[in-house]
């Protein structure tokens, strides 16, 4: 069963192409009344996904770019992002607060102009705005649509926020392929599971914790048969979670991409031969190389650069190449992502990739989610600290690790949290986790939230 091309479902409402176009035209007039024009950037911090989608389509027709921001972030952080990009217009969170529409001046859309600024998640440090032109977004979209088999009449369920590249990218993919969209707003497992059964959804984008919650909610039941692609990205997919999802007959695809590349540069289905870290062969338009252990990328999908007040291109690029923060290798033609290069822990002279420890801990009974971080050690340089959520007691997790991890790879301190800190896009907030380790309380008793346990190094 195919849906009408270009249809948008949001809650109980259904918007066809004509109704959506009418709303976009009206919004263009309202934006023009606020002074939005060619060369400017308009930012908005809203939880209304339909409003964000309409702004994304309206602003380029006025020669302007959209900068969607997380409404839950602290005002000081938002203000830094606005100043960093030299934003001229901060739009109200509620479209009803916009002025009456005027006749917008004619403008010819230029694909080489800036269309979107998207904030990096800040999972590994302070966020920055990424400048993406219409041409770059089109290149990223073409590669994803071809790889994922999105066609006219398909339906993509969007439960990632549209201030995240993983949320806004399906909007372009649907437009390119003639597919429809289901907008559920901020992720809620019950709402998403219900939407999967109410609509003939063919594609969905998830981060690993979202997939876990859907499996927990459904009791590991399969999704509706219409679903062809459950695209998982934003963080490493553990082998345990992949096996669990595949056993429940979820059509899981693992992906690799980032804001700086307009989302995907590689994706592949998870099958019996898949191993954690494998993300597929980069798309044909993408040049990918490994230098000093880091993944480097070049191609038409790359950002113009990181945001600056003058919006000059080039910041973050060198001779057209973008050096990511990810460590990787090639196995034949397939890219294997080993985790964040800047999160590699050196303990006793050995390089330790936290995501490899975290993938193993997904199999530990009573551990819902785990993250490995590093604490200073006067003898070994760094020691591994495990932060986790779940029902398992820290001493039980320590015993489990002692039996399966040797030497520097074995965690020496354990911190159990009621809930893991997350960024606005749903990924683990690595900076917040590292702060918990560096405050000096990991591995000893503390009144801070959570339970700590120290294990002596043999």
């Amino acid at each position: 069963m195919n849906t009408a091309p270009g249809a948008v479902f949001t809650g109980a409402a259904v918007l066809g192409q004509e109704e959506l176009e009418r709303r976009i035209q009206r919004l263009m007039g309202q934006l023009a009344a606020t002074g939005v024009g060619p060369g400017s950037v308009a930012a908005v911090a809203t939880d209304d996904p339909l409003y964000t989608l309409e702004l994304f389509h309206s602003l380029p027709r006025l020669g302007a770019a959209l900068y969607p921001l997380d409404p839950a972030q602290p005002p000081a952080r938002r203000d830094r992002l606005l100043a960093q990009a030299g934003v001229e217009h901060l739009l109200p969170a509620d479209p009803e607060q916009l002025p009456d529409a005027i006749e917008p001046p004619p403008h010819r859309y230029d694909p080489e102009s800036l269309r979107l600024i998207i904030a990096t998640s800040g999972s590994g440090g302070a966020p920055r705005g990424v400048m993406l032109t219409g041409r770059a977004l089109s290149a990223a979209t073409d590669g994803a649509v071809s790889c994922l088999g999105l066609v006219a009449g398909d339906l993509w369920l969007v439960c990632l926020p549209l201030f995240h590249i993983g949320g806004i990218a399906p909007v372009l993919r649907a437009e390119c392929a003639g597919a429809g969209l289901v907008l559920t707003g901020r992720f809620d497992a019950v709402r998403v599971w219900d939407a999967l059964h109410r609509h003939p959804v063919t594609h969905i984008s998830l981060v690993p914790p979202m997939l876990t919650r859907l499996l927990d909610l459904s009791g590991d039941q399969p999704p509706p048969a219409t679903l062809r692609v459950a695209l998982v990205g934003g963080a490493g997919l553990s082998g345990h979670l992949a096996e669990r999802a595949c056993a429940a007959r979820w059509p899981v695809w693992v992906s690799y991409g980032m804001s700086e590349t307009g989302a995907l540069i590689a994706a592949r289905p998870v099958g019996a031969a898949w191993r954690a870290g494998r993300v597929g062969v980069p798309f044909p338009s993408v040049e990918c190389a490994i230098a000093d252990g880091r993944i480097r990328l070049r191609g038409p999908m790359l950002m113009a650069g990181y945001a600056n007040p003058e919006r000059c291109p080039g910041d973050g690029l060198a001779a057209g190449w973008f050096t990511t923060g990810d460590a990787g290798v090639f196995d034949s033609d397939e890219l294997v992502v080993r985790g964040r290069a800047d999160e590699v822990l050196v303990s006793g002279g050995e390089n330790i990739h936290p995501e490899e420890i975290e993938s193993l801990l997904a199999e530990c009974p009573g551990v819902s989610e785990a993250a490995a971080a590093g604490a200073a050690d006067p003898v070994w340089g760094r020691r591994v600290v495990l932060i986790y959520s779940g029902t398992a007691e820290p001493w039980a997790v320590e015993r489990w690790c002692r039996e399966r991890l040797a030497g520097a790879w074995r965690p020496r301190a354990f911190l159990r949290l009621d809930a893991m800190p997350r960024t606005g896009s749903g990924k683990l907030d690595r900076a917040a986790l590292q702060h918990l380790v560096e405050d000096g309380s990991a591995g000893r008793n503390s009144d801070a939230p959570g339970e700590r346990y120290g294990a002596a190094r043999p």
Side-chain angles (χ1 to χ4, degrees), residues 123-124 342-343 345 354 371-376 382-383 385 387 415 421 429-440 442:
S123 57
D342 51 8
E343 290 169 0
L345 308 176
R382 306 285 281 176
R383 59 188 170 95
V385 177
I387 307 168
L415 168 59
D429 190 335
R430 297 277 181 179
L433 291 170
Q434 189 62 40
H435 178 73
L436 288 173
V437 172
E438 292 174 352
D439 71 359

Side-chain angles (χ1 to χ4, degrees), residues 77 120-127 234 340 343 423 427-432:
R77 178 167 165 169
T120 59
S121 65
S123 57
R340 295 286 298 178
E343 290 169 0
T423 66
K427 296 192 291 185
L428 284 175
D429 190 335
R430 297 277 181 179

Side-chain angles (χ1 to χ4, degrees), residues 6-378:
V8 176
F9 299 84
T10 174
V14 182
L15 300 178
Q17 282 186 316
E18 290 186 3
E19 173 62 13
L20 183 61
E21 179 61 25
R22 186 191 66 79
R23 293 172 64 102
I24 290 171
Q25 290 289 341
R26 180 174 182 271
L27 184 55
M28 286 174 60
Q30 293 176 292
L31 294 170
T34 68
V36 175
S40 63
V41 172
V44 67
T46 182
D47 268 325
D48 185 341
L50 180 59
Y51 177 32
T52 305
L53 179 147
E54 292 168 350
L55 286 169
F56 185 60
H57 287 307
S58 300
L59 286 164
R61 302 189 193 185
L62 298 171
L66 172 65
Y67 195 170
L69 296 168
D70 181 358
Q73 68 184 335
R77 178 167 165 169
R78 180 202 64 189
D79 291 345
R80 285 196 299 271
L81 288 170
L82 293 172
Q84 182 189 76
V87 172
E88 291 88 357
H89 305 279
L90 179 59
L91 303 176
D94 184 351
E96 296 299 322
Q97 298 175 3
L98 289 169
D100 292 337
I102 64 172
E103 183 67 26
H107 178 81
R108 185 173 182 177
Y109 171 65
D110 179 7
E112 301 296 344
S113 64
L114 182 64
R115 181 170 183 182
L116 177 71
I117 301 180
I118 203 84
T120 59
S121 65
S123 57
R128 291 190 285 180
V130 171
M131 302 189 297
L132 294 162
T133 66
R135 185 80 69 193
L137 288 168
S138 292
T141 299
D142 290 344
V145 167
S146 175
C147 176
L148 301 174
L150 188 69
V151 297
D154 281 349
L155 194 60
W156 197 301
L157 193 154
V158 181
C159 55
L160 289 167
L162 269 68
F163 56 77
H164 183 267
I165 193 64
I168 202 76
V171 173
L172 280 162
R173 295 170 195 156
E175 180 183 37
C176 175
L181 294 167
V182 178
L183 305 177
T184 63
R186 284 186 181 264
F187 179 80
D188 176 89
V190 173
R191 186 161 58 237
V192 170
W193 187 248
D194 177 66
L196 283 170
H197 287 80
R198 283 193 294 112
H199 304 289
V201 174
T202 59
H203 294 68
I204 188 173
S205 298
L206 302 166
V207 295
M210 294 177 178
L211 178 59
T212 299
R213 291 176 198 172
L214 289 169
L215 288 167
D216 290 343
L217 174 69
S218 67
D220 285 4
Q221 293 299 305
T226 58
L227 189 67
R228 302 199 310 270
V229 175
L231 189 68
V232 180
L237 176 66
S238 72
H240 175 72
L241 179 56
E243 289 175 7
R244 181 184 174 190
C246 290
R249 300 199 299 279
W250 278 75
V252 176
W253 283 58
V254 68
S255 66
Y256 179 65
M258 59 209 72
S259 302
E260 290 88 346
T261 61
L264 300 186
I265 63 101
R268 58 157 288 177
V270 172
W274 180 81
R275 294 198 301 273
R278 294 178 174 271
V279 297
V281 178
F283 298 158
S285 62
V286 178
E287 292 183 72
C288 184
I290 309 296
D292 297 325
R294 292 197 178 207
I295 299 170
R296 301 180 72 221
L297 302 168
R298 185 167 66 177
M301 75 297 160
L302 274 188
M303 65 175 179
Y306 288 116
N308 55 82
E310 296 77 26
R311 296 197 279 277
C312 295
D315 186 14
L317 304 176
W321 286 92
F322 171 64
T323 301
T324 75
D326 298 315
V329 295
F330 276 104
D331 186 350
S332 297
D333 291 333
E334 183 169 19
L335 180 62
V336 181
V337 182
R338 302 192 65 189
R340 295 286 298 178
D342 51 8
E343 290 169 0
V344 171
L345 308 176
V346 181
S347 182
E350 187 167 356
N351 291 340
I352 299 168
H353 293 271
E355 287 194 10
E356 295 181 8
I357 297 176
E358 294 160 8
S359 180
L360 178 65
L361 262 293
E363 302 176 13
C364 180
V367 172
S368 301
E369 191 170 15
D377 187 286

